[in-house]
Amino acid sequence: MIEIHPQLTVPEHEIAFRTSRSSGPGGQNVNKVESRVELLFDLEASESLKDEQRERLRERLATRISRSGVLRVVSQKYRTQAANKDAALRRFVELVAEALEEAKPRKPKRKPKGVERRRLQEKRRQSEKKKLRSRQDRWQE
């Protein structure tokens, strides 16, 4: 069982891994070893998710979910398959936990009266400064 947060655990059998050759530097190793790991989690078939959780994940992780409803996390940072598998699992847990987190409602704040007063005074000061820079004969008409 993979614990996302205290109220949600995902059974390991719901997660699939696919490996392939990693891109980038690595010498001869990169041409022979399949160290890149892809974690696949089928949201639609998952029995561990409630409908509202599934919907929230679909909404917040839309760019990572395929049309068939499979969440995909890729790791190729490390040179070993085991390290990349661990990294993909950590990232999966992090992504799902973050997506399921409820946003705190924003509390609207009022500007203090002093802030507004100082802002308006500064605007008046700037206006006067600009007026003094202009030609005086325009203001006398």
Side-chain angles (χ1 to χ4, degrees), residues 3-127:
E3 187 176 320
I4 306 297
H5 58 73
Q7 290 83 30
L8 176 65
T9 55
V10 176
E12 289 181 24
H13 68 84
E14 289 187 3
I15 293 175
F17 292 97
R18 193 166 37 185
T19 61
S20 60
R21 291 186 184 149
S22 183
S23 65
Q28 292 176 346
N29 193 45
V30 81
N31 298 324
K32 294 189 284 182
V33 181
E34 293 195 347
S35 59
R36 179 177 183 260
V37 174
E38 236 179 306
L39 180 146
L40 304 167
F41 176 65
D42 192 351
L43 286 174
E44 306 307 317
S46 176
E47 297 169 5
S48 57
L49 294 174
K50 296 175 187 160
D51 288 335
E52 58 267 9
Q53 290 174 327
R54 189 175 286 115
E55 189 56 43
R56 181 172 280 165
L57 287 174
R58 253 190 247 120
E59 186 181 299
R60 293 192 177 169
L61 299 175
T63 57
R64 293 178 169 270
I65 297 174
S66 67
R67 285 192 179 101
S68 57
V70 177
L71 173 65
R72 189 171 150 254
V73 179
V74 178
S75 176
Q76 60 180 2
K77 185 177 180 180
Y78 303 101
R79 290 184 65 166
T80 65
Q81 196 179 94
N84 281 324
K85 187 176 179 180
D86 290 342
L89 261 172
R90 279 193 309 273
R91 184 73 181 130
F92 167 73
V93 169
E94 186 180 294
L95 279 171
V96 173
E98 198 173 287
L100 291 176
E101 204 171 86
E102 290 193 30
K104 294 177 185 173
R106 184 183 173 277
K107 295 178 184 173
K109 304 284 185 201
R110 275 188 42 224
K111 275 190 204 174
K113 287 180 184 177
V115 169
E116 188 66 17
R117 190 177 61 248
R118 284 190 295 274
R119 184 182 73 85
L120 292 173
Q121 282 175 346
E122 183 59 29
K123 281 181 77 165
R124 280 189 217 103
R125 200 173 304 125
Q126 284 288 83
S127 176

